[in-house]
Amino acid sequence: MGCGGSKVVVVTYNLFWWCVSDEYKTCSQFKGNKGFQELFHTIHQNAGPMDLVGFQECDDVTRVLVGSNLTHFDYFAPGGDAPLAWRAERFQRLGDGGSVQVAQDKYGARMVNFVRLMDKVSKEVIFFANTHGPLGQCALPDGGEVAANYLKVINDFKKPDDRVVFTGDFNCASSDPPLQELGKVLQSSATDFSFGGADHILTGPEVKTCASETQQGFPSDHQILKLTVSVNEHQVDNDVAAPPAASVTPAAPAPAAAAAPAPTPEGATGAEVKDSEGCPKAGESSPCCVACASPFYCPDNKGCYMQGASGCPGALCPLKGPIHT
């Protein structure tokens, strides 16, 4: 019963940067810095309290931490889009950290970034890694190779007594070969429902899972996934509060100023694709790009989504007519 020892709250969150930033002028609902204002509000309201966080699709972690009132966090951002951050008063970084390429896809190199952190409460050392996994490499043989590369990074750089915490948008579900292979060595401690369960938190066998939850992640197209673990169950409880005991909590509604996507119920596979009111007519341009992962337009919230993704309250529009690139 319960979960004793030194507890650490871990978060993984894909920020949907290209759309939230309106980088390609295809997400007009977020133009004029509105996307970042919504993002910072969501992190401040739904992600905390936390001790460790792995971001994906994050091009400027300093901007995120400052905007979300997390200036008490330190971070490691060696390049790519998967920085790590941690509560500075709780953890001391040991060494420089590292970044290793584990795959390549049409968007470029996919990395695992990692640091070793000493927990000032328990004196245990956490090997904290984060990744944004490759697209289209879930099936064998590619999936097995990617999993082997993930494990090689951990085995090459962690010390024997380190507690492993591995966050990420792996772009693969729990049932896919990469996660199945990782599960032979690490615990699959938490998974959300984004894109069929692409976001995961994995932990070493010496780490005890206490509780997990998902939170609404709008304006991102991913949920916030949160896990509380004990890195040393035999020690006296520390003052880090665990999330509620339920494994998944209902998603909180988005701020009233924004037309927030409705959360996808447990077991749902995401929005269907069909013509509906608000979809571009034949020959009209779609607001969404075609040369990207999220070409399907949602007329209910004017967002752009991958087929089968959660977040669109109604149906996604079919692809037809000229599409912006």
Side-chain angles (χ1 to χ4, degrees), residues 85-310:
W86 57 91
R87 196 153 58 90
E89 70 266 30
R90 171 79 186 267
F91 298 97
Q92 177 185 346
R93 189 168 92 178
L94 304 177
D96 295 330
S99 183
V100 177
Q101 182 175 342
V102 292
Q104 181 91 15
D105 65 11
K106 64 181 180 180
Y107 294 106
R110 299 291 186 154
M111 316 297 292
V112 169
N113 300 324
F114 61 88
V115 291
R116 297 180 68 242
L117 303 172
M118 187 186 73
D119 178 12
K120 298 175 185 178
V121 174
S122 67
K123 308 305 180 186
E124 301 289 355
V125 176
I126 296 175
F127 181 87
F128 180 29
N130 183 44
T131 194
H132 188 195
L135 288 169
Q137 297 180 34
C138 296
L140 295 173
D142 292 340
E145 181 178 345
V146 172
N149 291 339
Y150 287 142
L151 291 172
K152 187 175 190 305
V153 173
I154 295 171
N155 291 331
D156 285 353
F157 294 99
K158 84 173 189 71
K159 303 298 183 185
D161 293 329
D162 287 359
R163 273 58 177 148
V164 175
V165 174
F166 189 11
T167 58
D169 170 6
F170 290 80
N171 274 313
C172 294
S174 298
S175 58
D176 290 327
L179 275 299
Q180 290 292 304
E181 288 300 310
L182 288 172
K184 295 176 182 179
V185 179
L186 303 173
Q187 303 174 100
S188 181
S189 297
T191 299
D192 68 4
F193 305 119
S194 303
F195 299 94
D199 304 316
H200 307 271
I201 303 176
L202 307 169
T203 58
E206 66 288 332
V207 176
K208 180 175 180 179
T209 297
C210 299
S212 66
E213 60 177 315
T214 58
Q215 289 287 344
Q216 180 275 125
F218 180 82
S220 174
D221 56 349
H222 285 249
Q223 295 173 311
I224 295 172
L225 179 61
K226 193 171 183 180
L227 173 73
T228 299
V229 299
S230 173
V231 295
N232 190 332
E233 192 180 7
H234 302 297
Q235 288 194 353
V236 176
D237 285 353
N238 60 31
D239 60 356
V240 180
S247 59
V248 177
T249 60
T264 300
E266 183 171 352
T269 57
E272 62 178 328
V273 176
K274 70 175 185 179
D275 243 328
S276 59
E277 186 68 28
C279 285
K281 307 301 181 186
E284 293 181 350
S285 294
S286 167
C288 301
C289 58
V290 67
C292 66
S294 303
F296 290 89
Y297 180 61
C298 174
D300 294 275
N301 61 24
K302 298 180 173 56
C304 299
Y305 292 86
M306 180 182 291
Q307 185 172 2
S310 61

Side-chain angles (χ1 to χ4, degrees), residues 42-62:
T42 292
I43 293 172
H44 183 70
Q45 290 293 113
N46 293 351
M50 59 182 172
D51 300 302
L52 308 174
V53 56
F55 292 119
Q56 303 85 39
E57 293 193 34
C58 177
D59 290 354
D60 187 346
V61 68
T62 302

